[in-house]
Amino acid sequence: MSTLVFVLTVSFMTIACYAAPRGQCKANRDNSVSYSGFQVWTITPHSKTKQINLMKIIQHYNLEIWKETNEIHEPVNVMVPPRYQKEIRLKLEEVKIPYDVEISDLQKAISTENPKTNDSAVNSKTAHQMDWTSYHRLDDIYGYLSFLADRYPCRVQLLNVGSSYEGRPLYVVHITNSTSPDTPAIWIDGGFHAREWISPALATYIIQQLVEEPRNAELLVNVNWYIMPVVNPDGYEYTHLKNRLWRKTRSPTGSASAKCQGVDLNRNFDFKWGGPGSSSNPCSQVYKGPSAFSEPETLAYSNFITSKSNEIKLYLTLHSSGQLIMLPWGYERNTFPSDYDEMLTLAKNAACKFRKFTYKVGNKVDLLYRASGNSADWAKSIGIKYVYSVELPINGFILPASNILPVSQDFFRAMDVFAAEVSTLNAS
């Protein structure tokens, strides 16, 4: 494991608003967090020495990493508070590490990321507000799921599998054309991390394509689909209302500081819980929680998937960003499931379908970092055959809504490959 990635996975990682000294992050009149003056830099170390120097700078200023890598010569994206920009620029120039300013004012990028929509304008033909030209609030997403269940009752079931900490329902959409109990299934989820808006957008796009596009009917032949667009609804709503870059849940942690609220759901599963790549510090972005499945979201999620584990043959969990399709295990380096080569072959075949974006395919630790207690490792541990964690395009969490359709349309091409393989397997 590279020195840089080691630091990323074990050091204190907090959201930049709170990592910055007092006064660096300001609140707007509605008490939402402003990232005015923050920048995102793309920094490329071209040697091991420069990688170590960059690691020291990141550690010294407690910078938040937006894109991590295991490879020398590959860029690292970091968020830089206004107060430190001059100092860090000088330090990088001193050690001759090149950088580019990817986003010159983060708040301006946030303000223009999502076009304003008319909340009162309901499409008279469809009775819902969903589209894939903007990012939508939870009510729009859930309203669309309800619409589909009402409009297509023989094909769509809307399953309430539990409630979030703040009492929001946790919905799974079941899409099927089969009456056989032996029909294998594909699981897809999005929205584990609240700020990764592209993942719920893609998940809902897949739902729309499976249900409302007749040309995709063959994807329902001998395959059932379970799709959970928003695993972390409390955090997702919080990113729309208060802090665009919030990552975790909104459950209390016992800390008096508001910045230390919430758990990283993707470190809260019981398989290898608490190992490398997670933290016991409530202020960390990768806080594992007080115990495995401490969060109502992960408990409901795991209970439902476990109840369908004989049926589910392929598992996809959608994150951003980085253009990666990652395979278990993610808890330790050089550790692989016995059928890793089969999983790798299918993932590579799927990646070959993409036209607009290029994805790297491989082991999670090799491509990114260690992450004990993650959902994909857990899914594999309970016997699901094909398990993948996906980092979607493009670099960073602030992805203009104009990218939703290009990303979604390109990724949907892989559904043919996944469905064709799963259709050959029997639920048992």
Side-chain angles (χ1 to χ4, degrees):
M1 176 176 252
S2 71
T3 307
L4 175 58
V5 174
F6 174 79
V7 170
L8 302 184
T9 56
V10 302
S11 66
F12 183 150
M13 293 175 60
T14 54
I15 200 152
C17 233
Y18 303 112
R22 187 182 300 275
Q24 282 298 295
C25 258
K26 299 179 180 179
N28 293 318
R29 291 183 179 180
D30 60 358
N31 291 322
S32 62
V33 172
S34 171
Y35 289 89
S36 179
F38 279 74
Q39 294 183 339
V40 177
W41 293 6
T42 300
I43 307 173
T44 309
H46 288 296
S47 69
K48 184 68 175 179
T49 299
K50 290 181 179 181
Q51 190 181 57
I52 292 172
N53 286 332
L54 176 57
M55 171 269 294
K56 291 178 179 178
I57 292 171
I58 289 171
Q59 186 176 35
H60 178 76
Y61 292 100
N62 198 20
L63 301 180
E64 182 178 347
I65 309 299
W66 277 32
K67 179 190 174 186
E68 296 138 84
T69 179
N70 262 333
E71 303 295 329
I72 297 173
H73 305 299
E74 287 196 1
V76 175
N77 288 1
V78 298
M79 182 163 61
V80 185
R83 174 176 292 187
Y84 297 135
Q85 286 166 12
K86 183 177 180 180
E87 289 180 39
I88 295 172
R89 187 178 293 111
L90 291 172
K91 287 185 178 295
L92 290 174
E93 291 173 352
E94 181 181 331
V95 294
K96 294 182 172 57
I97 298 177
Y99 70 94
D100 293 301
V101 178
E102 189 81 15
I103 299 176
S104 60
D105 189 307
L106 190 50
Q107 187 57 46
K108 288 181 180 179
I110 291 171
S111 299
T112 59
E113 175 189 27
N114 200 28
K116 291 183 178 180
T117 57
N118 184 352
D119 292 338
S120 64
V122 178
N123 187 316
S124 59
K125 293 183 178 180
T126 61
H128 64 78
Q129 298 188 48
M130 277 299 292
D131 59 40
W132 289 268
T133 59
S134 60
Y135 296 107
H136 288 265
R137 295 279 299 278
L138 192 69
D139 283 349
D140 286 355
I141 294 173
Y142 282 1
Y144 178 60
L145 304 184
S146 296
F147 160 77
L148 292 177
D150 291 340
R151 180 75 175 271
Y152 306 97
C154 295
R155 191 182 312 166
V156 179
Q157 287 181 292
L158 185 57
L159 308 174
N160 186 336
V161 301
S163 298
S164 68
Y165 171 76
E166 293 180 342
R168 294 181 175 88
L170 302 171
Y171 283 131
V172 173
V173 179
H174 181 210
I175 305 168
T176 181
N177 267 344
S178 174
T179 58
S180 170
D182 295 326
T183 303
I186 292 174
W187 169 274
I188 301 174
D189 67 61
F192 255 90
H193 294 140
R195 61 191 178 184
E196 297 170 9
W197 285 4
I198 187 61
S199 69
L202 172 56
T204 53
Y205 177 84
I206 293 172
I207 292 170
Q208 187 271 335
Q209 288 291 304
L210 292 173
V211 176
E212 297 197 283
E213 289 294 337
R215 66 179 180 269
N216 295 320
E218 63 183 23
L219 294 174
L220 302 181
V221 176
N222 299 321
V223 178
N224 290 337
W225 300 75
Y226 294 99
I227 304 178
M228 188 175 189
V230 188
V231 178
N232 179 10
D234 297 347
Y236 184 73
E237 275 295 280
Y238 193 74
T239 62
H240 281 272
L241 294 172
K242 296 296 183 182
N243 186 340
R244 175 61 187 87
L245 295 179
W246 189 261
R247 170 183 166 99
K248 300 184 288 181
T249 65
R250 296 296 302 156
S251 59
T253 61
S255 172
S257 175
K259 72 183 180 182
C260 301
Q261 193 167 346
V263 168
D264 181 353
L265 292 178
N266 206 32
R267 303 296 187 276
N268 193 236
F269 287 76
D270 68 351
F271 183 73
K272 305 297 181 179
W273 178 81
S278 65
S279 175
S280 58
N281 182 347
C283 300
S284 169
Q285 291 282 46
V286 292
Y287 174 50
K288 64 185 180 179
S291 62
F293 297 132
S294 61
E295 304 309 287
E297 295 88 350
T298 52
L299 185 60
Y301 178 104
S302 62
N303 284 341
F304 180 80
I305 292 180
T306 299
S307 74
K308 304 293 183 182
S309 61
N310 289 337
E311 182 182 348
I312 296 170
K313 299 302 178 183
L314 189 144
Y315 170 101
L316 282 174
T317 181
L318 306 174
H319 295 259
S320 73
S321 61
Q323 295 172 218
L324 306 171
I325 301 178
M326 301 179 294
L327 285 61
W329 302 107
Y331 67 88
E332 188 55 86
R333 179 174 288 280
N334 297 324
T335 306
F336 308 96
S338 59
D339 58 353
Y340 179 84
D341 288 343
E342 292 178 65
M343 288 195 293
L344 184 64
T345 297
L346 184 63
K348 287 182 175 179
N349 290 341
C352 287
K353 299 283 285 187
F354 303 139
R355 297 292 179 267
K356 187 173 182 63
F357 300 100
T358 300
Y359 288 71
K360 290 185 177 181
V361 180
N363 172 256
K364 182 179 181 71
V365 181
D366 291 341
L367 292 178
L368 202 59
Y369 48 55
R370 291 186 291 181
S372 298
N374 73 79
S375 71
D377 279 7
W378 170 82
K380 186 61 180 174
S381 78
I382 65 169
I384 296 177
K385 172 65 175 175
Y386 295 104
V387 173
Y388 306 106
S389 178
V390 178
E391 296 286 342
L392 296 165
I394 308 167
N395 295 337
F397 307 115
I398 307 305
L399 183 67
S402 58
N403 290 281
I404 296 173
L405 279 174
V407 169
S408 299
Q409 290 167 346
D410 201 49
F411 192 82
F412 190 77
R413 296 173 186 271
M415 298 304 104
D416 285 338
V417 174
F418 292 139
E421 175 62 23
V422 169
S423 68
T424 67
L425 308 172
N426 288 326
S428 60

